[in-house]
Amino acid sequence: MKILIYGINFYPELTGIGKFTGEMAEHISSKEHEVSVITAQPYYPEWKVKPHYKSYKYSKETINGINVQRCPLYIPSKLNTFKRILHLISFSISSSIILISKIFTKPDVLIVIAPSFLCAPISIIFCKITGTKSVIHFQDFEFDAMFSLGMMKKGQLSKLFFLFEKY
């Protein structure tokens, strides 16, 4: 089976979602499935691109038999709400180009890892066009965290975010 994993964090990030997603990809691959990944350049938890990677470039590599395509993204040096949203938007835009290119090599299953939940709309469209089965795996509820941490005040915008998340 051809499985495509799509998420912002991946190995060699050694903590959090990158660690989990890397281990999940290796496990699936060990079961004789063809696994590929669309992800960002590794930056977490330092919020700085790891050596030998460039935040502004697309790149390809093979890690333990898994084809990994890395996309550019904006990594803020100082985090605030606006910069965090720009960070997530930059990945969803740059990675959507790679996802769209997969239309002709259609995977059997697309696993979308949230964050970034902003990748969900293009994933839904991709799966409808190609007939690919999809799974959205929530590692982190971005909108809940943003409001719980006081990064944004609840109001009309929060209602829109939660409607989007619910859909």
Side-chain angles (χ1 to χ4, degrees):
M1 190 179 311
K2 288 173 35 177
I3 299 171
L4 176 59
I5 299 172
Y6 181 25
I8 197 168
N9 301 101
F10 191 71
Y11 180 87
E13 295 176 350
L14 298 176
T15 61
I17 297 164
K19 179 178 177 9
F20 169 83
T21 305
E23 290 172 357
M24 179 181 69
E26 286 185 14
H27 177 74
I28 293 169
S29 179
S30 76
K31 302 297 180 192
E32 306 297 319
H33 297 291
E34 180 184 326
V35 178
S36 57
V37 176
I38 299 172
T39 191
Q41 306 295 343
Y43 67 93
Y44 189 81
E46 298 87 5
W47 285 85
K48 190 179 351 175
V49 174
K50 300 220 181 292
H52 311 294
Y53 292 93
K54 305 277 188 239
S55 65
Y56 56 87
K57 282 185 156 184
Y58 287 95
S59 63
K60 292 181 182 181
E61 62 184 317
T62 301
I63 301 172
N64 300 326
I66 298 164
N67 294 318
V68 179
Q69 289 187 271
R70 297 195 183 269
C71 303
L73 80 161
Y74 165 67
I75 302 169
S77 56
K78 292 189 179 187
L79 209 53
N80 64 32
T81 304
F82 179 71
K83 289 179 179 180
R84 171 80 176 168
I85 292 169
L86 279 179
H87 165 74
L88 296 171
I89 289 171
S90 74
F91 176 70
S92 66
I93 291 170
S94 69
S95 64
S96 67
I97 294 165
I98 301 300
L99 181 64
I100 290 166
S101 75
K102 303 286 184 189
I103 285 175
F104 303 108
T105 58
K106 175 185 142 359
D108 299 304
V109 177
L110 173 65
I111 302 173
V112 181
I113 308 293
S116 171
F117 192 69
L118 296 174
C119 295
I122 190 68
S123 299
I124 292 166
I125 293 167
F126 174 85
C127 289
K128 288 203 183 289
I129 290 170
T130 61
T132 298
K133 303 271 189 237
S134 65
V135 174
I136 296 182
H137 180 86
F138 286 93
Q139 281 287 320
D140 190 358
F141 286 94
E142 296 164 271
F143 303 135
D144 288 339
M146 195 166 49
F147 292 108
S148 296
L149 294 171
M151 295 176 79
M152 288 187 83
K153 292 186 169 119
K154 289 192 176 181
Q156 291 302 98
L157 188 57
S158 67
K159 289 179 185 175
L160 180 64
F161 281 140
F162 288 123
L163 275 174
F164 178 65
E165 190 174 74
K166 184 177 178 180
Y167 172 75

